[in-house]
Amino acid sequence: MKEKVKLLDDSLLRDRAYVGGEWIQAVSGATFDVVNPATGELIGKAPHMAAVDVEHAIIQAEAAFGEWSARTAKEREAPLKEWARLIVANASDLAAILTLEQGKPLSDAKNEVLFAASFVEWFAEEAKRTYGEVIPGSRRNVTYVAIKEPVGVAAGITPWNLPCAMVTRKAAPALAAGCTMVLKPAEHTPFSALALCVLAERAGIPRGVLNVVTADRPAAEEIGRTLTSSHAVGKLSFTGSTAVGKRLAAQCADTMKRVSLELGGNSPFIVFADADLDVAVSSAVFAKFRNAGQTCIAPNRFLIDASVHDEFVKRMIAAIGELSLGDGFEPGVTLGPLISEDAVQKVERHVADALARGAKLLVGGKRADRKGNFFLPTLMTGISPEMAMSCEETFGPVMGLATFTSEDELLQRANGTRLGLASYMFSRDAARIHRTSRALQAGIVGVNTGAIATEVAPFGGFKESGIGREGARQGIDEFMETKFICEAFPG
Ligand code: ADP
């Protein structure tokens, strides 16, 4: 598996899972293939684990919890900071592994690795600020204190679209809070998660504190059930599809497990007549075509004021013409492959459905004429609310434009989804920005920008796009319980 990519440090690429500080195979000895989405070639094999392996990992995480949670926040900070430092120091190798299994352009992969490190650094420090409260007593001779404690063993299940950042966005706050973790990365991208474990081990994070179990898709449900039914696991943090998230939330109800869910989005991207169109176009390209449209915050519905629609289209055609599609390792490539053949077929279905219902195709519209899971960057106009691409996440490099003529109509359209994750609005009118940003039913509003993800701000959705927040102080709170201590002093 090592000939395609030249790493500075070959030992980052592991074909074993990391449990209790050991690099192990599945008990069954089974493995599964991991393939490069740009070429279809086999990258390597990872352990195909099952319930028994996960039970072992939970035991290891439970055993490590006592010592890790007893540390002060400052004592936990040192190895976490070192982990962050090592992630940055090994960014080019981590990026190469990421591009190999996920496909995104190498420069984007590098940015993701730095983003991943930012969560570790930020939460390492934030642990020291998980303040409680001293509350004035309502009786004499009592002290009321509310403190925060880690929830215990936390479970994480992560997706393939950000194979490094989604791991640290969960593991960093969990570990900083004093939890230990069992994490299952997506079947498409196990090697990035395992490379992060190599660095966690080197950073001195004790054995059993971070455990990564890998498995192919057919075992995902069994692994999910093992994690959600365990009394030892206090919390599940999941990022993935809305359907799986709902199922996991239902499973967690039995043990009343805490849950954080980052699920699907159906983000509106709104361009008002008074917008700076250059900013709107460059932001649209960044937000929509980054990661080939495979992010939960990718704009899915472009709503453009009718008076600037034609000009927006003209500039967008030019901007799309500058995208360069190809293998993420090729220099200058800005648009990589989709993760799988299934993903390409879903995008094809959305385009065909839109065209059958009257949309107009201006650019792209089909798979690229080359090996691998490539779809051409696509621009369509005349999108209406009943089309599949208005109702479901397309998760591909397809931009479909619709027009609006009044703010009321716009808000009705923009909020007409159960998935209120992100939204974007472009305007230079301060009053309109104030009004609209408050009226949008979404957890995140980008005003005149397409870059809305940062470790320092709360990230999460309204309605069926999730529960809880990641990043920021809210992100560490998700891994802590509040305990009220009511101390009476008789006499
Ligand atoms: P996607 O369709 O983008 O792969 P999923 O929600 O299906 O999104 O997958 C996100 C993560 O959830 C992956 O790690 C996947 O293996 C895992 N997963 C999929 N189905 C289940 C399930 N029934 N229970 C637990 N985890 C699951």
Side-chain angles (χ1 to χ4, degrees):
M1 85 176 150
K2 291 173 188 167
E3 74 278 349
K4 162 100 199 230
V5 47
K6 299 245 175 308
L7 300 179
L8 298 169
D9 179 354
D10 275 347
S11 66
L12 289 177
L13 202 45
R14 297 290 170 105
D15 56 6
R16 307 263 168 128
Y18 182 64
V19 175
E22 309 282 340
W23 292 93
I24 60 171
Q25 301 276 22
V27 167
S28 68
T31 59
F32 66 100
D33 292 349
V34 182
V35 297
N36 179 342
T39 61
E41 284 164 16
L42 180 71
I43 302 167
K45 290 174 181 291
H48 180 44
M49 295 183 136
V52 61
D53 303 283
V54 177
E55 281 157 11
H56 171 62
I58 294 171
I59 290 168
Q60 295 298 314
E62 236 186 326
F65 178 73
E67 193 277 329
W68 181 248
S69 61
R71 291 189 186 196
T72 65
K74 195 168 171 59
E75 287 165 344
R76 288 194 295 268
E77 180 188 8
L80 288 171
K81 275 263 182 80
E82 177 61 5
W83 191 25
R85 192 192 69 75
L86 288 173
I87 294 171
V88 173
N90 290 276
S92 55
D93 277 354
L94 291 170
I97 294 169
L98 202 165
T99 294
L100 195 60
E101 63 182 359
Q102 200 271 348
K104 70 178 62 174
L106 198 55
S107 57
D108 290 356
K110 182 101 180 272
N111 286 337
E112 185 192 324
V113 171
L114 299 179
F115 185 44
S118 76
F119 287 109
V120 184
E121 185 193 55
W122 201 84
F123 283 112
E125 292 167 351
E126 188 61 8
K128 291 185 289 194
R129 288 181 282 275
T130 52
Y131 302 129
E133 278 181 287
V134 179
I135 302 156
S138 50
R139 306 194 300 271
R140 293 186 181 191
N141 301 326
V142 294
T143 304
Y144 291 161
V145 181
I147 60 168
K148 294 197 183 158
E149 294 183 351
V151 295
V153 175
I157 298 178
T158 53
W160 48 263
N161 58 345
L162 289 110
C164 284
M166 294 303 100
V167 170
T168 58
R169 187 145 85 172
K170 297 187 188 314
L175 270 50
C179 296
T180 54
M181 181 165 248
V182 176
L183 183 137
K184 190 199 81 67
E187 52 277 7
H188 300 96
T189 57
F191 296 129
S192 293
L194 295 172
L196 288 170
C197 290
V198 175
L199 299 175
E201 185 179 33
R202 278 184 204 164
I205 292 174
R207 53 179 50 224
V209 170
L210 176 64
N211 307 275
V212 168
V213 293
T214 57
D216 202 0
R217 184 58 164 234
E221 185 177 3
E222 177 181 330
I223 289 177
R225 278 200 186 278
T226 310
L227 291 168
T228 53
S229 62
S230 166
H231 289 281
V233 173
K235 158 98 193 179
L236 171 72
S237 179
F238 169 79
T239 299
S241 63
T242 306
V244 172
K246 285 181 180 177
R247 202 182 311 170
L248 289 168
Q251 286 171 214
C252 284
D254 261 356
T255 51
M256 212 36 85
K257 236 177 263 325
R258 278 73 189 118
V259 288
S260 295
L261 306 168
E262 296 291 350
L263 310 179
N266 188 2
S267 307
F269 186 103
I270 303 158
V271 181
F272 286 104
D274 57 32
D276 179 326
L277 286 190
D278 285 334
V279 172
V281 167
S282 61
S283 303
V285 169
F286 172 80
K288 181 74 217 183
F289 293 110
R290 182 179 53 125
N291 209 1
Q294 303 171 112
T295 66
C296 50
I297 53 171
N300 207 49
R301 296 172 297 145
F302 287 81
L303 304 169
I304 317 293
D305 187 294
S307 67
V308 292
H309 175 265
D310 292 354
E311 182 60 26
F312 184 85
V313 168
K314 195 173 107 201
R315 296 189 198 192
M316 189 53 74
I317 291 173
I320 290 176
E322 286 174 19
L323 292 171
S324 170
L325 178 140
D327 187 317
F329 285 105
E330 289 165 22
V333 161
T334 50
L335 191 66
L338 298 185
I339 193 69
S340 63
E341 170 60 24
D342 282 356
V344 176
Q345 286 181 12
K346 179 179 184 188
V347 175
E348 281 179 331
R349 266 200 312 278
H350 278 199
V351 170
D353 170 80
L355 295 178
R357 293 172 191 264
K360 190 169 158 208
L361 179 67
L362 301 182
V363 181
K366 58 180 189 322
R367 59 174 75 214
D369 186 16
R370 58 179 289 163
K371 215 170 125 210
N373 309 319
F374 290 94
F375 199 89
L376 295 176
T378 296
L379 181 65
M380 289 187 291
T381 55
I383 301 300
S384 52
E386 75 286 355
M387 293 175 182
M389 60 182 294
S390 301
C391 311
E392 299 165 35
E393 266 184 312
T394 303
F395 239 58
V398 176
M399 191 178 271
L401 311 188
T403 56
F404 66 90
T405 51
S406 77
E407 217 170 283
D408 282 350
E409 177 201 357
L410 175 266
L411 282 174
Q412 219 175 9
R413 291 277 290 274
N415 289 334
T417 173
R418 293 292 305 153
L419 302 176
L421 184 53
S423 56
Y424 304 83
M425 58 166 294
F426 293 78
S427 169
R428 283 181 285 203
D429 178 332
R432 196 204 295 279
I433 290 171
H434 183 87
R435 222 172 30 243
T436 312
S437 60
R438 270 68 177 174
L440 285 168
Q441 296 165 0
I444 307 161
V445 184
V447 179
N448 296 322
T449 178
I452 55 172
T454 160
E455 76 281 11
V456 302
F459 182 104
F462 282 15
K463 302 192 261 186
E464 290 174 38
S465 70
I467 296 175
R469 294 293 179 271
E470 294 193 302
R473 70 186 157 74
Q474 288 87 346
I476 196 165
D477 262 352
E478 297 279 334
F479 290 93
M480 305 195 92
E481 289 280 20
T482 296
K483 179 182 277 178
F484 168 44
I485 302 174
C486 177
E487 280 182 10
F489 301 96

